[in-house]
């Protein structure tokens, strides 16, 4: 019982710190933030153990995922800058079907939510194991990024 209380306390404290940072310390926002942090902390107490996060995942895979997205952000920013400075908009959009290897669950949800942060991509649908991905320009090599990110999440056990 004490272990659950300590976990809840850590979740609640972490969420309230995040809320404080998001609202830039505005005291008038606590009427919403404190109950929200409480609800999410209680929810995490019931859901989080099923995720099975191991220390090795946090120490080795999380930095790789962060570096992957930093590099993707740099590439995306450069691509947007080039397109914004061009005299004409040169895009050839398409929707591609990507066969997911990730099992149904939190890793698949993260993949679907975060590929929109990659250059020129956005998840627009899911039918079984097939994700529909909108691509801004078919000349972009998005397939390699989608595969790489899925691989990083598959390693997360």
């Amino acid at each position: 019982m004490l272990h659950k209380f300590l976990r809840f306390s850590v979740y609640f404290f972490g969420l309230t710190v995040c809320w404080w940072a998001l609202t830039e310390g505005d005291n008038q926002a606590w009427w919403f933030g404190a109950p929200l942090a409480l609800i999410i902390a209680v929810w995490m107490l019931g859901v989080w153990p099923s995720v099975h996060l191991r220390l090795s995942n946090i120490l080795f895979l999380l930095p790789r995922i962060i570096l992957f997205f930093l590099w993707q952000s740099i590439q995306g920013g450069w691509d947007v800058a080039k397109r914004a400075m061009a005299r004409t908009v040169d895009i050839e959009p398409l929707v591609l079907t990507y066969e997911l290897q990730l099992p149904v669950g939190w890793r698949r949800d993260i993949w679907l939510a975060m590929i929109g942060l990659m250059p020129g991509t956005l998840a627009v649908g899911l039918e079984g194991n097939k994700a529909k991905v909108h691509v801004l320009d078919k000349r972009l090599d998005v397939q390699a990024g989608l595969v790489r990110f899925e691989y990083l999440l598959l390693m997360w056990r």
Side-chain angles (χ1 to χ4, degrees):
M1 187 67 167
L2 180 63
H3 183 261
K4 259 190 171 179
F5 177 74
L6 290 174
R7 270 196 359 230
F8 169 79
S9 300
V10 169
Y11 295 155
F12 183 70
F13 177 75
L15 290 164
T16 54
V17 168
C18 288
W19 181 257
W20 174 80
L22 286 171
T23 61
E24 297 177 351
D26 183 9
N27 290 333
Q28 295 179 8
W30 283 108
W31 69 269
F32 182 76
L36 182 66
L38 180 67
I39 290 167
I40 294 172
V42 168
W43 176 78
M44 286 175 71
L45 199 59
V47 172
W48 202 257
S50 67
V51 175
H52 301 297
L53 292 178
R54 285 193 239 160
L55 186 59
S56 63
N57 288 335
I58 294 170
L59 294 177
F60 299 111
L61 289 176
L62 191 58
R64 289 175 70 181
I65 291 172
I66 291 169
L67 288 173
F68 173 77
F69 271 102
L70 284 174
W71 179 244
Q72 293 293 312
S73 296
I74 291 168
Q75 288 180 316
W78 178 252
D79 184 59
V80 168
K82 284 191 317 189
R83 292 176 195 276
M85 299 306 269
R87 291 188 184 270
T88 59
V89 178
D90 185 24
I91 60 171
E92 294 183 41
L94 79 126
V95 175
L96 66 87
T97 302
Y98 181 84
E99 183 82 28
L100 285 163
Q101 304 303 313
L102 289 166
V104 174
W106 66 273
R107 290 181 291 174
R108 181 181 284 198
D109 295 341
I110 288 173
W111 188 89
L112 289 166
M114 293 191 66
I115 62 167
L117 299 175
M118 294 171 58
T121 60
L122 179 66
V124 293
L126 179 65
E127 296 170 4
N129 284 339
K130 296 181 180 174
K132 301 288 185 188
V133 180
H134 180 271
V135 179
L136 184 62
D137 193 338
K138 67 181 180 183
R139 295 167 291 196
L140 292 172
D141 183 22
V142 299
Q143 187 80 15
L146 298 175
V147 170
R148 176 76 177 135
F149 184 45
E150 186 177 28
Y151 172 73
L152 288 171
L153 289 173
L154 278 169
M155 289 175 34
W156 195 300
R157 301 242 179 236

